[in-house]
Amino acid sequence: MARDSSEFPVVMVRPDLEGLPQYDLPAGFSLRAYRPGDEAEWLRIHELADRYNTFTASTFAEQFGTDAEVLRQRQLYLCDPAGATIGTVTAWFDDEFHGGRWGRVHWVAVVPAFQGRGLGRLLMSAVCNRLRQLGHRRAYLTSNTVRVRAIGLYLKFGFVPEIRNQRDARAWQLLRQRLPDSALAKMDLAWR
Ligand SMILES: CC(C)(COP(=O)(O)OP(=O)(O)OC[C@H]1O[C@@H](n2cnc3c(N)ncnc32)[C@H](O)[C@@H]1OP(=O)(O)O)[C@@H](O)C(=O)NCCC(=O)NCCS
């Protein structure tokens, strides 16, 4: 897929997992853990939701491996009242982020027909809670300057921009122009 010329990677961190915003599931919706065979569901959700990445049959295994027990603990699926899977997120980990073990919010997506209804923030709440349950005390994520909605959501959850070099500073400069005021207020707070 063609890349936007103003597309830069960004990293955000949450140095602790205290005081997480909590959101309840809307009536009829449910959250469940990964079960074998969900690879196809994960792919379907991402193909529908994500217009910036290209997915293949091997993307899932490349990102998460093939250990079903690890996936059961860490990967969540959101189902609509009819039982169809409409979103997913993974409470992943990285043993070598900044030289240590960090939780990682990985691959969040809600299918377009259900976006903008508060389900993304519900998934963020669920994934951060799951990271805590799994013993993580800090988390990070990676994203991109074109994913303005996702970054607004992450700021709301207390993830702060990691600015380590000129390129990071330029990326966040760009995001300042793209984010709504409500998200900018969170960002200014994070920078103080
Ligand atoms: C990111 C994504 C999961 C959000 O899901 P969603 O269900 O639409 O999110 P919500 O309805 O819960 O909205 C959450 C927050 O997004 C932010 N948001 C919404 N619209 C926004 C916009 N136009 N600009 C910036 N931020 C916005 C706000 O913080 C909003 O919360 P608020 O309405 O209370 O202010 C969804 O858009 C998606 O699947 N995108 C494609 C995949 C993707 O980009 N994933 C992230 C990879 S890093």
Side-chain angles (χ1 to χ4, degrees):
M1 196 162 290
R3 292 275 163 189
D4 187 321
S5 61
S6 59
E7 184 178 343
F8 299 103
V10 295
V11 176
M12 300 178 76
V13 296
R14 205 181 197 284
D16 66 59
L17 290 173
E18 304 300 324
L20 293 164
Q22 300 295 327
Y23 295 100
D24 293 330
L25 277 165
F29 287 77
S30 56
L31 264 179
R32 66 167 177 81
Y34 163 92
R35 51 191 186 221
D38 275 335
E39 289 79 356
E41 288 300 290
W42 185 93
L43 192 60
R44 184 184 59 79
I45 292 165
H46 282 278
E47 281 178 339
L48 285 170
D50 190 338
R51 51 199 185 97
Y52 299 109
N53 274 315
T54 307
F55 299 91
T56 69
S58 57
T59 304
F60 186 96
E62 285 161 11
Q63 294 297 316
F64 304 113
T66 54
D67 186 329
E69 179 52 23
V70 171
L71 283 161
R72 191 190 62 74
Q73 287 181 14
R74 292 183 176 272
Q75 193 161 74
L76 303 172
Y77 288 87
L78 177 64
C79 302
D80 73 5
T85 49
I86 54 151
T88 180
V89 67
T90 304
W92 206 236
F93 61 96
D94 187 336
D95 286 334
E96 293 175 9
F97 182 70
H98 295 337
R101 183 172 175 85
W102 284 65
R104 181 174 186 180
V105 173
H106 212 18
W107 290 104
V108 59
V110 172
V111 297
F114 284 89
Q115 287 177 10
R117 301 192 199 180
L119 297 172
R121 63 183 179 226
L122 184 140
L123 282 177
M124 281 301 292
S125 190
V127 74
C128 290
N129 291 339
R130 178 57 57 91
L131 283 170
R132 263 183 70 91
Q133 285 161 8
L134 289 166
H136 294 283
R137 291 292 171 262
R138 54 192 183 175
Y140 82 102
L141 58 85
T142 63
S143 190
N144 195 293
T145 47
V146 291
R147 298 184 188 273
V148 178
R149 169 170 280 205
I151 286 169
L153 180 59
Y154 303 149
L155 285 165
K156 188 167 247 176
F157 268 79
F159 283 81
V160 298
E162 182 173 87
I163 301 176
R164 289 160 68 95
N165 54 41
Q166 210 46 36
R167 195 192 60 173
D168 294 339
R170 197 176 51 191
W172 285 99
Q173 199 67 36
L174 204 62
L175 279 164
R176 286 181 90 82
Q177 294 158 19
R178 295 178 178 178
L179 284 160
D181 288 346
S182 57
L184 285 175
K186 294 275 179 193
M187 195 158 96
D188 289 340
L189 205 63
W191 268 349
R192 249 173 233 146

PDB file of all heavy atoms in Angstrom, residues 49-50 108-111 114-122 142-144 147-150 152-154 156 178-180 182, ligand 1:
ATOM      1  N   ALA A  49     -10.114  -3.040   9.011  1.00  0.00           N
ATOM      2  CA  ALA A  49      -9.915  -1.809   9.792  1.00  0.00           C
ATOM      3  C   ALA A  49      -8.699  -0.993   9.365  1.00  0.00           C
ATOM      4  O   ALA A  49      -8.714   0.231   9.468  1.00  0.00           O
ATOM      5  CB  ALA A  49      -9.780  -2.167  11.277  1.00  0.00           C
ATOM      6  N   ASP A  50      -7.656  -1.656   8.917  1.00  0.00           N
ATOM      7  CA  ASP A  50      -6.359  -0.997   8.796  1.00  0.00           C
ATOM      8  C   ASP A  50      -6.021  -0.708   7.338  1.00  0.00           C
ATOM      9  O   ASP A  50      -5.684  -1.604   6.575  1.00  0.00           O
ATOM     10  CB  ASP A  50      -5.296  -1.915   9.419  1.00  0.00           C
ATOM     11  CG  ASP A  50      -3.962  -1.217   9.562  1.00  0.00           C
ATOM     12  OD1 ASP A  50      -3.716  -0.233   8.841  1.00  0.00           O
ATOM     13  OD2 ASP A  50      -3.165  -1.667  10.400  1.00  0.00           O
ATOM     14  N   VAL A 108      -4.199  -3.043  18.012  1.00  0.00           N
ATOM     15  CA  VAL A 108      -5.612  -2.794  18.357  1.00  0.00           C
ATOM     16  C   VAL A 108      -6.376  -2.432  17.091  1.00  0.00           C
ATOM     17  O   VAL A 108      -5.888  -1.680  16.249  1.00  0.00           O
ATOM     18  CB  VAL A 108      -5.727  -1.684  19.444  1.00  0.00           C
ATOM     19  CG1 VAL A 108      -5.111  -0.375  18.994  1.00  0.00           C
ATOM     20  CG2 VAL A 108      -7.178  -1.465  19.840  1.00  0.00           C
ATOM     21  N   ALA A 109      -7.565  -2.972  16.957  1.00  0.00           N
ATOM     22  CA  ALA A 109      -8.405  -2.644  15.797  1.00  0.00           C
ATOM     23  C   ALA A 109      -9.875  -2.929  16.094  1.00  0.00           C
ATOM     24  O   ALA A 109     -10.207  -3.902  16.775  1.00  0.00           O
ATOM     25  CB  ALA A 109      -7.967  -3.436  14.561  1.00  0.00           C
ATOM     26  N   VAL A 110     -10.715  -2.051  15.554  1.00  0.00           N
ATOM     27  CA  VAL A 110     -12.169  -2.234  15.581  1.00  0.00           C
ATOM     28  C   VAL A 110     -12.633  -2.113  14.132  1.00  0.00           C
ATOM     29  O   VAL A 110     -12.201  -1.193  13.417  1.00  0.00           O
ATOM     30  CB  VAL A 110     -12.843  -1.141  16.453  1.00  0.00           C
ATOM     31  CG1 VAL A 110     -14.362  -1.194  16.341  1.00  0.00           C
ATOM     32  CG2 VAL A 110     -12.408  -1.267  17.917  1.00  0.00           C
ATOM     33  N   VAL A 111     -13.485  -2.991  13.683  1.00  0.00           N
ATOM     34  CA  VAL A 111     -13.921  -2.923  12.269  1.00  0.00           C
ATOM     35  C   VAL A 111     -14.675  -1.602  12.033  1.00  0.00           C
ATOM     36  O   VAL A 111     -15.337  -1.084  12.938  1.00  0.00           O
ATOM     37  CB  VAL A 111     -14.801  -4.135  11.854  1.00  0.00           C
ATOM     38  CG1 VAL A 111     -14.011  -5.434  11.950  1.00  0.00           C
ATOM     39  CG2 VAL A 111     -16.074  -4.197  12.671  1.00  0.00           C
ATOM     40  N   PHE A 114     -18.119  -0.444  13.395  1.00  0.00           N
ATOM     41  CA  PHE A 114     -18.307  -0.264  14.841  1.00  0.00           C
ATOM     42  C   PHE A 114     -17.384   0.798  15.427  1.00  0.00           C
ATOM     43  O   PHE A 114     -17.362   0.983  16.635  1.00  0.00           O
ATOM     44  CB  PHE A 114     -18.110  -1.611  15.563  1.00  0.00           C
ATOM     45  CG  PHE A 114     -19.273  -2.539  15.404  1.00  0.00           C
ATOM     46  CD1 PHE A 114     -19.338  -3.418  14.336  1.00  0.00           C
ATOM     47  CD2 PHE A 114     -20.314  -2.527  16.323  1.00  0.00           C
ATOM     48  CE1 PHE A 114     -20.420  -4.271  14.180  1.00  0.00           C
ATOM     49  CE2 PHE A 114     -21.401  -3.368  16.192  1.00  0.00           C
ATOM     50  CZ  PHE A 114     -21.458  -4.251  15.113  1.00  0.00           C
ATOM     51  N   GLN A 115     -16.615   1.493  14.590  1.00  0.00           N
ATOM     52  CA  GLN A 115     -15.711   2.518  15.117  1.00  0.00           C
ATOM     53  C   GLN A 115     -16.499   3.746  15.575  1.00  0.00           C
ATOM     54  O   GLN A 115     -17.617   3.981  15.122  1.00  0.00           O
ATOM     55  CB  GLN A 115     -14.692   2.932  14.044  1.00  0.00           C
ATOM     56  CG  GLN A 115     -13.635   1.864  13.791  1.00  0.00           C
ATOM     57  CD  GLN A 115     -12.661   2.219  12.682  1.00  0.00           C
ATOM     58  OE1 GLN A 115     -12.625   3.343  12.195  1.00  0.00           O
ATOM     59  NE2 GLN A 115     -11.855   1.249  12.270  1.00  0.00           N
ATOM     60  N   GLY A 116     -15.880   4.523  16.464  1.00  0.00           N
ATOM     61  CA  GLY A 116     -16.491   5.774  16.916  1.00  0.00           C
ATOM     62  C   GLY A 116     -17.607   5.587  17.923  1.00  0.00           C
ATOM     63  O   GLY A 116     -18.350   6.508  18.210  1.00  0.00           O
ATOM     64  N   ARG A 117     -17.701   4.381  18.505  1.00  0.00           N
ATOM     65  CA  ARG A 117     -18.765   4.119  19.500  1.00  0.00           C
ATOM     66  C   ARG A 117     -18.185   3.829  20.878  1.00  0.00           C
ATOM     67  O   ARG A 117     -18.854   3.261  21.734  1.00  0.00           O
ATOM     68  CB  ARG A 117     -19.581   2.899  19.080  1.00  0.00           C
ATOM     69  CG  ARG A 117     -20.243   3.017  17.742  1.00  0.00           C
ATOM     70  CD  ARG A 117     -21.225   1.869  17.649  1.00  0.00           C
ATOM     71  NE  ARG A 117     -21.624   1.576  16.298  1.00  0.00           N
ATOM     72  CZ  ARG A 117     -22.474   0.616  15.990  1.00  0.00           C
ATOM     73  NH1 ARG A 117     -22.981  -0.151  16.947  1.00  0.00           N
ATOM     74  NH2 ARG A 117     -22.798   0.379  14.742  1.00  0.00           N
ATOM     75  N   GLY A 118     -16.914   4.129  21.057  1.00  0.00           N
ATOM     76  CA  GLY A 118     -16.311   3.901  22.372  1.00  0.00           C
ATOM     77  C   GLY A 118     -15.742   2.505  22.558  1.00  0.00           C
ATOM     78  O   GLY A 118     -15.292   2.151  23.646  1.00  0.00           O
ATOM     79  N   LEU A 119     -15.723   1.704  21.501  1.00  0.00           N
ATOM     80  CA  LEU A 119     -15.231   0.324  21.660  1.00  0.00           C
ATOM     81  C   LEU A 119     -13.698   0.265  21.662  1.00  0.00           C
ATOM     82  O   LEU A 119     -13.100  -0.605  22.304  1.00  0.00           O
ATOM     83  CB  LEU A 119     -15.814  -0.567  20.562  1.00  0.00           C
ATOM     84  CG  LEU A 119     -17.347  -0.689  20.622  1.00  0.00           C
ATOM     85  CD1 LEU A 119     -17.885  -1.416  19.399  1.00  0.00           C
ATOM     86  CD2 LEU A 119     -17.779  -1.403  21.904  1.00  0.00           C
ATOM     87  N   GLY A 120     -13.054   1.210  20.984  1.00  0.00           N
ATOM     88  CA  GLY A 120     -11.585   1.264  21.006  1.00  0.00           C
ATOM     89  C   GLY A 120     -11.092   1.535  22.420  1.00  0.00           C
ATOM     90  O   GLY A 120     -10.162   0.895  22.901  1.00  0.00           O
ATOM     91  N   ARG A 121     -11.745   2.488  23.102  1.00  0.00           N
ATOM     92  CA  ARG A 121     -11.284   2.770  24.469  1.00  0.00           C
ATOM     93  C   ARG A 121     -11.596   1.613  25.409  1.00  0.00           C
ATOM     94  O   ARG A 121     -10.865   1.362  26.362  1.00  0.00           O
ATOM     95  CB  ARG A 121     -11.799   4.116  24.965  1.00  0.00           C
ATOM     96  CG  ARG A 121     -13.270   4.228  25.070  1.00  0.00           C
ATOM     97  CD  ARG A 121     -13.648   5.638  25.512  1.00  0.00           C
ATOM     98  NE  ARG A 121     -15.085   5.715  25.573  1.00  0.00           N
ATOM     99  CZ  ARG A 121     -15.804   6.704  25.070  1.00  0.00           C
ATOM    100  NH1 ARG A 121     -15.209   7.720  24.498  1.00  0.00           N
ATOM    101  NH2 ARG A 121     -17.109   6.691  25.151  1.00  0.00           N
ATOM    102  N   LEU A 122     -12.666   0.897  25.128  1.00  0.00           N
ATOM    103  CA  LEU A 122     -12.966  -0.287  25.925  1.00  0.00           C
ATOM    104  C   LEU A 122     -11.858  -1.345  25.752  1.00  0.00           C
ATOM    105  O   LEU A 122     -11.402  -1.962  26.716  1.00  0.00           O
ATOM    106  CB  LEU A 122     -14.307  -0.839  25.459  1.00  0.00           C
ATOM    107  CG  LEU A 122     -14.864  -2.005  26.217  1.00  0.00           C
ATOM    108  CD1 LEU A 122     -16.343  -1.818  26.378  1.00  0.00           C
ATOM    109  CD2 LEU A 122     -14.568  -3.303  25.531  1.00  0.00           C
ATOM    110  N   THR A 142       3.828   1.151  19.704  1.00  0.00           N
ATOM    111  CA  THR A 142       4.338   1.881  18.550  1.00  0.00           C
ATOM    112  C   THR A 142       3.158   2.228  17.654  1.00  0.00           C
ATOM    113  O   THR A 142       2.156   1.511  17.611  1.00  0.00           O
ATOM    114  CB  THR A 142       5.351   1.035  17.747  1.00  0.00           C
ATOM    115  OG1 THR A 142       4.680  -0.125  17.241  1.00  0.00           O
ATOM    116  CG2 THR A 142       6.521   0.607  18.604  1.00  0.00           C
ATOM    117  N   SER A 143       3.273   3.358  17.000  1.00  0.00           N
ATOM    118  CA  SER A 143       2.230   3.767  16.071  1.00  0.00           C
ATOM    119  C   SER A 143       2.859   4.622  14.977  1.00  0.00           C
ATOM    120  O   SER A 143       4.048   4.486  14.692  1.00  0.00           O
ATOM    121  CB  SER A 143       1.103   4.495  16.819  1.00  0.00           C
ATOM    122  OG  SER A 143       0.004   4.688  15.965  1.00  0.00           O
ATOM    123  N   ASN A 144       2.063   5.520  14.438  1.00  0.00           N
ATOM    124  CA  ASN A 144       2.476   6.228  13.250  1.00  0.00           C
ATOM    125  C   ASN A 144       1.705   7.549  13.151  1.00  0.00           C
ATOM    126  O   ASN A 144       0.554   7.606  13.563  1.00  0.00           O
ATOM    127  CB  ASN A 144       2.103   5.314  12.070  1.00  0.00           C
ATOM    128  CG  ASN A 144       2.777   5.746  10.834  1.00  0.00           C
ATOM    129  OD1 ASN A 144       2.480   6.818  10.322  1.00  0.00           O
ATOM    130  ND2 ASN A 144       3.698   4.932  10.370  1.00  0.00           N
ATOM    131  N   ARG A 147      -1.954   7.786  12.127  1.00  0.00           N
ATOM    132  CA  ARG A 147      -3.002   7.139  12.938  1.00  0.00           C
ATOM    133  C   ARG A 147      -3.467   8.077  14.054  1.00  0.00           C
ATOM    134  O   ARG A 147      -3.312   7.787  15.243  1.00  0.00           O
ATOM    135  CB  ARG A 147      -2.478   5.826  13.495  1.00  0.00           C
ATOM    136  CG  ARG A 147      -2.105   4.837  12.395  1.00  0.00           C
ATOM    137  CD  ARG A 147      -1.687   3.530  12.996  1.00  0.00           C
ATOM    138  NE  ARG A 147      -1.151   2.622  12.007  1.00  0.00           N
ATOM    139  CZ  ARG A 147      -1.877   1.786  11.279  1.00  0.00           C
ATOM    140  NH1 ARG A 147      -3.181   1.737  11.432  1.00  0.00           N
ATOM    141  NH2 ARG A 147      -1.289   0.997  10.412  1.00  0.00           N
ATOM    142  N   VAL A 148      -4.041   9.181  13.630  1.00  0.00           N
ATOM    143  CA  VAL A 148      -4.372  10.251  14.568  1.00  0.00           C
ATOM    144  C   VAL A 148      -5.404   9.797  15.601  1.00  0.00           C
ATOM    145  O   VAL A 148      -5.291  10.084  16.791  1.00  0.00           O
ATOM    146  CB  VAL A 148      -4.870  11.487  13.784  1.00  0.00           C
ATOM    147  CG1 VAL A 148      -5.260  12.599  14.725  1.00  0.00           C
ATOM    148  CG2 VAL A 148      -3.781  11.951  12.827  1.00  0.00           C
ATOM    149  N   ARG A 149      -6.399   9.070  15.156  1.00  0.00           N
ATOM    150  CA  ARG A 149      -7.443   8.622  16.083  1.00  0.00           C
ATOM    151  C   ARG A 149      -6.837   7.705  17.148  1.00  0.00           C
ATOM    152  O   ARG A 149      -7.114   7.853  18.343  1.00  0.00           O
ATOM    153  CB  ARG A 149      -8.536   7.881  15.331  1.00  0.00           C
ATOM    154  CG  ARG A 149      -9.503   7.180  16.273  1.00  0.00           C
ATOM    155  CD  ARG A 149     -10.705   6.658  15.575  1.00  0.00           C
ATOM    156  NE  ARG A 149     -11.648   7.738  15.359  1.00  0.00           N
ATOM    157  CZ  ARG A 149     -12.952   7.582  15.219  1.00  0.00           C
ATOM    158  NH1 ARG A 149     -13.474   6.392  15.241  1.00  0.00           N
ATOM    159  NH2 ARG A 149     -13.736   8.607  15.050  1.00  0.00           N
ATOM    160  N   ALA A 150      -6.009   6.777  16.726  1.00  0.00           N
ATOM    161  CA  ALA A 150      -5.397   5.850  17.686  1.00  0.00           C
ATOM    162  C   ALA A 150      -4.526   6.624  18.682  1.00  0.00           C
ATOM    163  O   ALA A 150      -4.564   6.362  19.890  1.00  0.00           O
ATOM    164  CB  ALA A 150      -4.567   4.802  16.943  1.00  0.00           C
ATOM    165  N   GLY A 152      -4.833   9.737  19.646  1.00  0.00           N
ATOM    166  CA  GLY A 152      -5.722  10.442  20.577  1.00  0.00           C
ATOM    167  C   GLY A 152      -6.171   9.509  21.693  1.00  0.00           C
ATOM    168  O   GLY A 152      -6.194   9.878  22.864  1.00  0.00           O
ATOM    169  N   LEU A 153      -6.477   8.309  21.297  1.00  0.00           N
ATOM    170  CA  LEU A 153      -6.913   7.293  22.255  1.00  0.00           C
ATOM    171  C   LEU A 153      -5.783   6.946  23.243  1.00  0.00           C
ATOM    172  O   LEU A 153      -5.997   6.865  24.455  1.00  0.00           O
ATOM    173  CB  LEU A 153      -7.336   6.053  21.449  1.00  0.00           C
ATOM    174  CG  LEU A 153      -7.848   4.815  22.132  1.00  0.00           C
ATOM    175  CD1 LEU A 153      -9.083   5.123  22.962  1.00  0.00           C
ATOM    176  CD2 LEU A 153      -8.195   3.753  21.083  1.00  0.00           C
ATOM    177  N   TYR A 154      -4.587   6.771  22.738  1.00  0.00           N
ATOM    178  CA  TYR A 154      -3.454   6.407  23.607  1.00  0.00           C
ATOM    179  C   TYR A 154      -3.127   7.531  24.598  1.00  0.00           C
ATOM    180  O   TYR A 154      -2.804   7.271  25.755  1.00  0.00           O
ATOM    181  CB  TYR A 154      -2.218   6.087  22.766  1.00  0.00           C
ATOM    182  CG  TYR A 154      -2.411   4.981  21.749  1.00  0.00           C
ATOM    183  CD1 TYR A 154      -1.703   4.987  20.538  1.00  0.00           C
ATOM    184  CD2 TYR A 154      -3.282   3.925  21.979  1.00  0.00           C
ATOM    185  CE1 TYR A 154      -1.871   3.972  19.602  1.00  0.00           C
ATOM    186  CE2 TYR A 154      -3.455   2.920  21.045  1.00  0.00           C
ATOM    187  CZ  TYR A 154      -2.754   2.955  19.865  1.00  0.00           C
ATOM    188  OH  TYR A 154      -2.918   1.961  18.932  1.00  0.00           O
ATOM    189  N   LYS A 156      -5.193   9.610  25.779  1.00  0.00           N
ATOM    190  CA  LYS A 156      -6.250   9.554  26.775  1.00  0.00           C
ATOM    191  C   LYS A 156      -5.964   8.491  27.833  1.00  0.00           C
ATOM    192  O   LYS A 156      -6.363   8.611  28.986  1.00  0.00           O
ATOM    193  CB  LYS A 156      -7.576   9.262  26.066  1.00  0.00           C
ATOM    194  CG  LYS A 156      -8.770   9.366  26.937  1.00  0.00           C
ATOM    195  CD  LYS A 156     -10.030   9.390  26.116  1.00  0.00           C
ATOM    196  CE  LYS A 156     -10.678  10.740  26.236  1.00  0.00           C
ATOM    197  NZ  LYS A 156     -11.848  10.924  25.425  1.00  0.00           N
ATOM    198  N   ARG A 178      -2.344  17.812  13.869  1.00  0.00           N
ATOM    199  CA  ARG A 178      -3.412  16.905  13.430  1.00  0.00           C
ATOM    200  C   ARG A 178      -4.387  16.500  14.531  1.00  0.00           C
ATOM    201  O   ARG A 178      -5.520  16.122  14.250  1.00  0.00           O
ATOM    202  CB  ARG A 178      -2.784  15.616  12.865  1.00  0.00           C
ATOM    203  CG  ARG A 178      -1.970  15.868  11.615  1.00  0.00           C
ATOM    204  CD  ARG A 178      -1.325  14.591  11.124  1.00  0.00           C
ATOM    205  NE  ARG A 178      -0.591  14.828   9.897  1.00  0.00           N
ATOM    206  CZ  ARG A 178       0.110  13.909   9.249  1.00  0.00           C
ATOM    207  NH1 ARG A 178       0.174  12.672   9.720  1.00  0.00           N
ATOM    208  NH2 ARG A 178       0.759  14.207   8.149  1.00  0.00           N
ATOM    209  N   LEU A 179      -3.931  16.546  15.791  1.00  0.00           N
ATOM    210  CA  LEU A 179      -4.771  16.050  16.891  1.00  0.00           C
ATOM    211  C   LEU A 179      -5.825  17.073  17.305  1.00  0.00           C
ATOM    212  O   LEU A 179      -5.583  18.279  17.238  1.00  0.00           O
ATOM    213  CB  LEU A 179      -3.886  15.723  18.101  1.00  0.00           C
ATOM    214  CG  LEU A 179      -3.084  14.430  17.997  1.00  0.00           C
ATOM    215  CD1 LEU A 179      -1.909  14.443  18.978  1.00  0.00           C
ATOM    216  CD2 LEU A 179      -3.976  13.218  18.261  1.00  0.00           C
ATOM    217  N   PRO A 180      -7.005  16.604  17.751  1.00  0.00           N
ATOM    218  CA  PRO A 180      -8.008  17.536  18.263  1.00  0.00           C
ATOM    219  C   PRO A 180      -7.557  18.147  19.592  1.00  0.00           C
ATOM    220  O   PRO A 180      -6.687  17.593  20.274  1.00  0.00           O
ATOM    221  CB  PRO A 180      -9.244  16.643  18.455  1.00  0.00           C
ATOM    222  CG  PRO A 180      -8.722  15.265  18.571  1.00  0.00           C
ATOM    223  CD  PRO A 180      -7.431  15.208  17.807  1.00  0.00           C
ATOM    224  N   SER A 182      -8.815  18.240  22.486  1.00  0.00           N
ATOM    225  CA  SER A 182      -8.950  17.403  23.689  1.00  0.00           C
ATOM    226  C   SER A 182      -7.728  16.498  23.855  1.00  0.00           C
ATOM    227  O   SER A 182      -7.241  16.285  24.967  1.00  0.00           O
ATOM    228  CB  SER A 182     -10.220  16.553  23.590  1.00  0.00           C
ATOM    229  OG  SER A 182     -10.185  15.765  22.414  1.00  0.00           O
TER     230      SER A 182
HETATM  231  C1  LIG B   1      -7.923   3.163  16.649  1.00  0.00           C
HETATM  232  C2  LIG B   1      -9.251   2.438  16.725  1.00  0.00           C
HETATM  233  C3  LIG B   1      -9.040   1.071  17.358  1.00  0.00           C
HETATM  234  C4  LIG B   1     -10.183   3.271  17.643  1.00  0.00           C
HETATM  235  O1  LIG B   1     -11.394   2.545  17.768  1.00  0.00           O
HETATM  236  P1  LIG B   1     -12.789   3.295  17.961  1.00  0.00           P
HETATM  237  O2  LIG B   1     -13.768   2.275  18.404  1.00  0.00           O
HETATM  238  O3  LIG B   1     -13.125   4.071  16.762  1.00  0.00           O
HETATM  239  O4  LIG B   1     -12.421   4.278  19.172  1.00  0.00           O
HETATM  240  P2  LIG B   1     -13.424   5.024  20.165  1.00  0.00           P
HETATM  241  O5  LIG B   1     -14.776   5.200  19.552  1.00  0.00           O
HETATM  242  O6  LIG B   1     -13.340   4.319  21.486  1.00  0.00           O
HETATM  243  O7  LIG B   1     -12.741   6.455  20.285  1.00  0.00           O
HETATM  244  C5  LIG B   1     -11.630   6.537  21.130  1.00  0.00           C
HETATM  245  C6  LIG B   1     -10.951   7.836  21.069  1.00  0.00           C
HETATM  246  O8  LIG B   1     -10.372   8.034  19.795  1.00  0.00           O
HETATM  247  C7  LIG B   1     -10.037   9.381  19.743  1.00  0.00           C
HETATM  248  N1  LIG B   1     -10.604   9.930  18.542  1.00  0.00           N
HETATM  249  C8  LIG B   1     -11.789   9.693  18.008  1.00  0.00           C
HETATM  250  N2  LIG B   1     -11.915  10.386  16.888  1.00  0.00           N
HETATM  251  C9  LIG B   1     -10.790  11.073  16.714  1.00  0.00           C
HETATM  252  C10 LIG B   1     -10.302  11.959  15.721  1.00  0.00           C
HETATM  253  N3  LIG B   1     -11.039  12.263  14.660  1.00  0.00           N
HETATM  254  N4  LIG B   1      -9.074  12.467  15.876  1.00  0.00           N
HETATM  255  C11 LIG B   1      -8.324  12.156  16.925  1.00  0.00           C
HETATM  256  N5  LIG B   1      -8.724  11.327  17.892  1.00  0.00           N
HETATM  257  C12 LIG B   1      -9.941  10.792  17.781  1.00  0.00           C
HETATM  258  C13 LIG B   1     -10.608  10.062  20.944  1.00  0.00           C
HETATM  259  O9  LIG B   1      -9.689  10.081  22.014  1.00  0.00           O
HETATM  260  C14 LIG B   1     -11.739   9.098  21.270  1.00  0.00           C
HETATM  261  O10 LIG B   1     -12.236   9.221  22.526  1.00  0.00           O
HETATM  262  P3  LIG B   1     -13.393  10.357  22.817  1.00  0.00           P
HETATM  263  O11 LIG B   1     -14.427  10.212  21.722  1.00  0.00           O
HETATM  264  O12 LIG B   1     -13.922   9.948  24.154  1.00  0.00           O
HETATM  265  O13 LIG B   1     -12.692  11.677  22.815  1.00  0.00           O
HETATM  266  C15 LIG B   1      -9.937   2.316  15.346  1.00  0.00           C
HETATM  267  O14 LIG B   1     -10.033   3.604  14.787  1.00  0.00           O
HETATM  268  C16 LIG B   1      -9.193   1.396  14.378  1.00  0.00           C
HETATM  269  O15 LIG B   1      -9.388   0.198  14.377  1.00  0.00           O
HETATM  270  N6  LIG B   1      -8.349   1.979  13.500  1.00  0.00           N
HETATM  271  C17 LIG B   1      -7.632   1.192  12.469  1.00  0.00           C
HETATM  272  C18 LIG B   1      -6.517   0.345  13.069  1.00  0.00           C
HETATM  273  C19 LIG B   1      -5.486   1.213  13.764  1.00  0.00           C
HETATM  274  O16 LIG B   1      -5.097   2.255  13.282  1.00  0.00           O
HETATM  275  N7  LIG B   1      -5.036   0.728  14.936  1.00  0.00           N
HETATM  276  C20 LIG B   1      -4.027   1.407  15.703  1.00  0.00           C
HETATM  277  C21 LIG B   1      -2.671   0.974  15.254  1.00  0.00           C
HETATM  278  S1  LIG B   1      -1.376   1.833  16.125  1.00  0.00           S
END
